[in-house]
Amino acid sequence: DMFDIKIKGVGGHGAAPQGTVDAVIVASHLIQALQTIVSRNTNPLDSTVVTVGKINGGHNFNIIADEVNLSGTTRAYSEENRVLIKTRMKEITRGIASMHNTEIELDYKDGYPPTINHISQSETVLEAAKILQIESLFERLPKQLSGGQRQRVAIGRAIVRNPKVFLFDEPLSNLDAALRVQTRIEIAKLHNQLTATMVYVTHDQVEAMTLADRIVVINEGIIEQVGTPIELYNSPRNQFVAEFIGSPKMNMVDIKDGHKLNLINLKAPSEATKLGIRPEHLSLSDDGSCKLKGTVRHIENLGEHLLCYINLEKNDEIVAKLDVNSKIKINENICLEWHQNHQHFFDSSGVSID
């Protein structure tokens, strides 16, 4: 909506043209009063804006002898708030006119009612707030938010803009574990819903594996490998990528340093210096099919599986993700095996050997 205000019949002071000085004082007082309407807005989704001219600069503000003309605009995202603005403007102009014993004319020009776009903007904000669980934070100032809450607000501001390209720089780093998982899922859903490209920076390989269509693995500014999550998991180009992808990370065993390995069963290439095998690909075996022997030093029972920490010779340690019903004990000597399709070999420079 638009409005025009005319202030007239004001007496002047000193050598200034008749009406000018007091007209400016009244206009300044009126502008300040009108701008307080914004702070009276009680619904954070109904952003209220009142724009009027300024005393200095002459924007939408003219002084003509004993008359001052103001013009401006108002914007509200609901009909209820729109009526409130109009009512408050009438009250303020009457009050200022009475205070200064002058005449103020308010010409309020009704524009269009709140548009579908405005309504959808409010709905979009509310939907983003629900996704990020920040509906209860609308009334708070930024300084009243925690680091994690500020991070969620930042994500919400990106979501509601509906951009063509998102850039997320470790957006979940300050969230607690439960909210991190939920927000990660919601970001994945958002990615599927939108046609926008998302560039997502993270040190968390779980986020990378679950969110990415393609992963770019960077080590000290150098791109080590680019590919889909499953490509990086199954065919890492080098030792750095192999250990980055997967949790727990891939075990690395030095096969040129005297470990008790059955080299016949292993079938290692001659130039290989390290064997890589993921914890989830290890299984218990008997002596006949044993490829690696070690001593169990610690066991973590996670309900769905056991994480077994196994010492090899020279105090090297590997991790095996075994069946929760496995009958093993701490300090027990065990034999491990794996399918040859799951083994990875690396040369002395860490490059993968096909």
Side-chain angles (χ1 to χ4, degrees):
D1 298 332
M2 300 179 64
F3 64 86
D4 292 312
I5 296 176
K6 181 181 294 185
I7 305 171
K8 58 183 180 178
V10 184
H13 293 284
Q18 179 68 22
T20 300
V21 176
D22 281 354
V24 171
I25 293 174
V26 176
S28 177
H29 193 179
L30 180 59
I31 289 173
Q32 293 176 5
L34 290 176
Q35 289 175 336
T36 64
I37 296 177
V38 177
S39 64
R40 292 175 177 270
N41 178 24
T42 58
N43 188 345
L45 294 180
D46 286 337
S47 300
T48 305
V49 178
V50 178
T51 305
V52 293
K54 299 178 181 180
I55 295 295
N56 296 319
H59 176 63
N60 287 344
F61 187 16
N62 300 303
I63 300 176
I64 307 175
D66 61 349
E67 181 178 294
V68 171
N69 297 316
L70 294 174
S71 65
T73 60
T74 66
R75 183 175 73 245
Y77 290 161
S78 74
E79 184 62 31
E80 180 182 0
N81 221 29
R82 188 182 186 207
V83 172
L84 172 63
I85 294 172
K86 187 174 182 179
T87 301
R88 286 289 299 145
M89 288 187 69
K90 290 180 179 179
E91 293 173 352
I92 287 173
T93 52
R94 283 199 300 264
I96 298 296
S98 176
M99 180 184 301
H100 292 277
N101 192 26
T102 187
E103 181 181 350
I104 301 178
E105 296 179 2
L106 170 64
D107 182 12
Y108 194 94
K109 302 177 179 65
D110 289 337
Y112 296 100
T115 64
I116 296 299
N117 185 44
H118 287 162
I119 295 173
S120 65
Q121 285 178 4
S122 298
E123 292 175 349
T124 301
V125 170
L126 186 57
E127 183 62 28
K130 288 180 179 179
I131 291 174
L132 300 167
Q133 297 185 4
I134 55 175
E135 309 103 300
S136 62
L137 306 180
F138 280 129
E139 300 295 335
R140 297 190 188 181
L141 297 173
K143 65 182 180 180
Q144 297 173 316
L145 302 177
S146 67
Q149 289 169 340
R150 292 182 186 184
Q151 202 159 21
R152 279 183 278 164
V153 170
I155 295 174
R157 291 174 65 185
I159 291 174
V160 298
R161 292 177 181 179
N162 194 27
K164 293 182 179 180
V165 178
F166 286 87
L167 173 58
F168 291 111
D169 189 358
E170 300 201 46
L172 311 184
S173 59
N174 288 335
L175 305 184
D176 59 61
L179 190 56
R180 186 181 300 118
V181 172
Q182 180 178 349
T183 307
R184 188 179 73 222
I185 294 172
E186 294 301 337
I187 291 176
K189 290 180 180 178
L190 184 69
H191 186 205
N192 291 331
Q193 293 170 1
L194 303 177
T195 57
T197 297
M198 290 187 178
V199 180
Y200 192 103
V201 181
T202 181
H203 287 87
D204 188 324
Q205 62 88 27
V206 174
E207 293 177 20
M209 291 291 289
T210 55
L211 291 174
D213 294 317
R214 294 180 68 80
I215 299 175
V216 180
V217 181
I218 301 177
N219 180 21
E220 297 183 353
I222 303 299
I223 296 177
E224 300 287 354
Q225 188 171 352
V226 180
T228 65
I230 197 63
E231 287 173 349
L232 270 59
Y233 180 85
N234 288 330
S235 305
R237 181 177 296 173
N238 53 42
Q239 186 176 337
F240 179 84
V241 176
E243 292 184 293
F244 177 77
I245 299 296
S247 179
K249 70 178 184 178
M250 181 183 289
N251 296 301
M252 290 293 167
V253 179
D254 192 336
I255 59 177
K256 294 292 187 180
D257 203 20
H259 287 298
K260 293 181 179 179
L261 295 170
N262 187 328
L263 297 181
I264 297 176
N265 290 335
L266 184 62
K267 299 179 181 179
S270 59
E271 66 271 31
T273 60
K274 290 185 181 294
L275 162 71
I277 187 72
R278 298 194 183 279
E280 56 269 30
H281 294 152
L282 291 170
S283 59
L284 295 173
S285 70
D286 55 33
D287 289 338
S289 58
C290 182
K291 294 181 179 178
L292 187 61
K293 294 181 180 180
T295 304
V296 179
R297 295 304 185 194
H298 180 64
I299 299 174
E300 292 180 343
N301 190 331
L302 301 182
E304 61 177 350
H305 59 258
L306 302 178
L307 283 183
C308 300
Y309 296 82
I310 302 163
N311 273 11
L312 308 176
E313 288 184 351
K314 298 188 177 181
N315 295 321
D316 286 345
E317 184 178 78
I318 64 171
V319 180
K321 185 184 289 187
L322 303 178
D323 187 275
V324 71
N325 296 316
S326 301
K327 305 299 182 181
I328 57 175
K329 300 178 182 179
I330 293 177
N331 295 325
E332 179 181 353
N333 294 323
I334 61 173
C335 286
L336 298 170
E337 65 175 344
W338 56 87
H339 194 281
Q340 65 177 12
N341 290 341
H342 292 149
Q343 62 191 18
H344 304 266
F345 295 102
F346 303 91
D347 63 20
S348 56
S349 62
V351 176
S352 177
I353 301 173
D354 295 332

